[in-house]
């Protein structure tokens, strides 16, 4: 099976440092300031359920990473009663970030044997499932995720997004604006 990579094999330390660099660049570019996220002067009651849903959608697009941190923090906070599980789950999240999400180069086994992305993904899924099953924290973790999602939805519904602005590239990638110019209805005479 041919690999799609054209890079020179690198050491695992260099791969980790490059993945960490990619992660920090991603976080610095995507995360919105917490002062803007927590600003109290922009909260008000939505006029209707449809308005609340529209607010949740717009706020989710704008504060996507902040909401992700909030949900992750709630999930990890739910594991505080079982510190071993907390450390294991945090380690699994770190593995996902380093080996799959922010990795640029292939993973090598035994120095020169590249591992396919599919095998890395399957390995991470198996390790994640085994960790969750053997630590017995599935219910606790789901409870924490649920609490985080509820808090995010409440924040999104009550935060007025009128002052939020996406740049053009973000708006196009999220579907807020089309890619091809404005579309005008055809007039028939």
């Amino acid at each position: 099976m041919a690999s799609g990579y054209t890079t020179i094999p690198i050491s695992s330390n260099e791969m980790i440092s490059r993945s960490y660099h990619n992660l920090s660049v991603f976080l610095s570019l995507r995360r919105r300031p917490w002062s803007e996220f927590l600003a109290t002067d922009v909260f008000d009651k939505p006029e209707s359920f449809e308005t609340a849903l529209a607010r949740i959608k717009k706020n989710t697009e704008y504060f996507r990473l902040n909401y992700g941190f909030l949900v992750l923090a709630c999930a990890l906070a739910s594991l505080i009663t079982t510190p071993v599980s907390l450390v294991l789950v945090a380690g699994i999240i770190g593995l996902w970030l380093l080996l799959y999400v922010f990795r640029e180069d292939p993973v090598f086994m035994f120095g020169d044997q590249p591992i396919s992305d599919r095998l890395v993904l399957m390995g991470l899924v198996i390790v994640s499932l085994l960790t969750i099953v053997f630590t017995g924290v599935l219910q606790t973790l789901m409870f924490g995720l649920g609490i985080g999602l509820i808090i995010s939805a409440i924040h999104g519904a009550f935060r007025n997004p009128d002052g939020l602005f996406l740049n053009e590239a973000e708006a196009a990638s999220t579907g807020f604006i089309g890619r091809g110019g404005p579309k005008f209805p055809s007039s028939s005479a």
Side-chain angles (χ1 to χ4, degrees):
M1 185 162 138
S3 176
Y5 294 106
T6 58
T7 59
I8 299 171
I10 58 173
S11 69
S12 59
N13 287 340
E14 190 176 337
M15 182 186 74
I16 290 171
S17 75
R18 288 175 76 179
S19 296
Y20 180 76
H21 173 73
N22 289 342
L23 172 64
S24 60
V25 168
F26 175 81
L27 294 177
S28 68
L29 294 176
R30 295 287 184 175
R31 185 185 58 81
R32 305 298 180 185
W34 287 104
S35 58
E36 183 180 4
F37 183 76
L38 299 172
T40 57
D41 59 337
V42 294
F43 286 93
D44 61 10
K45 184 178 175 188
E47 291 116 26
S48 66
F49 183 70
E50 290 79 22
T51 304
L53 289 178
R55 284 182 174 191
I56 290 171
K57 182 178 178 181
K58 189 168 184 182
N59 282 322
T60 300
E61 290 298 329
Y62 190 77
F63 292 114
R64 178 181 308 153
L65 199 56
N66 297 74
Y67 286 137
F69 279 136
L70 180 65
V71 171
L72 180 63
C74 288
L76 292 177
S78 71
L79 297 176
I80 285 180
T81 58
T82 54
V84 173
S85 300
L86 177 63
V87 169
L88 288 173
V89 170
I92 295 297
I93 291 169
L95 283 175
W96 273 94
L97 293 174
L98 289 174
L99 295 177
Y100 196 76
V101 178
F102 296 106
R103 178 177 52 88
E104 289 180 351
D105 301 303
V107 176
F108 287 90
M109 183 180 282
F110 306 120
D112 62 345
Q113 202 60 5
I115 302 174
S116 72
D117 286 340
R118 183 176 293 167
L119 190 58
V120 171
L121 177 64
M122 287 186 341
L124 286 170
V125 167
I126 290 169
V127 168
S128 300
L129 291 175
L130 289 175
T131 300
I132 290 172
V133 168
F134 285 125
T135 58
V137 295
L138 182 61
Q139 284 182 318
T140 307
L141 199 56
M142 295 306 285
F143 177 76
L145 289 171
I147 294 296
L149 289 172
I150 289 169
I151 292 170
S152 297
I154 291 170
H155 179 274
F158 285 92
R159 190 189 192 290
N160 192 336
D162 287 342
L164 302 180
F165 297 102
L166 295 172
N167 68 30
E168 192 174 322
E170 288 174 333
S173 69
T174 58
F176 278 129
I177 61 174
R179 302 173 200 254
K183 305 229 183 320
F184 298 103
S186 60
S187 60
S188 56

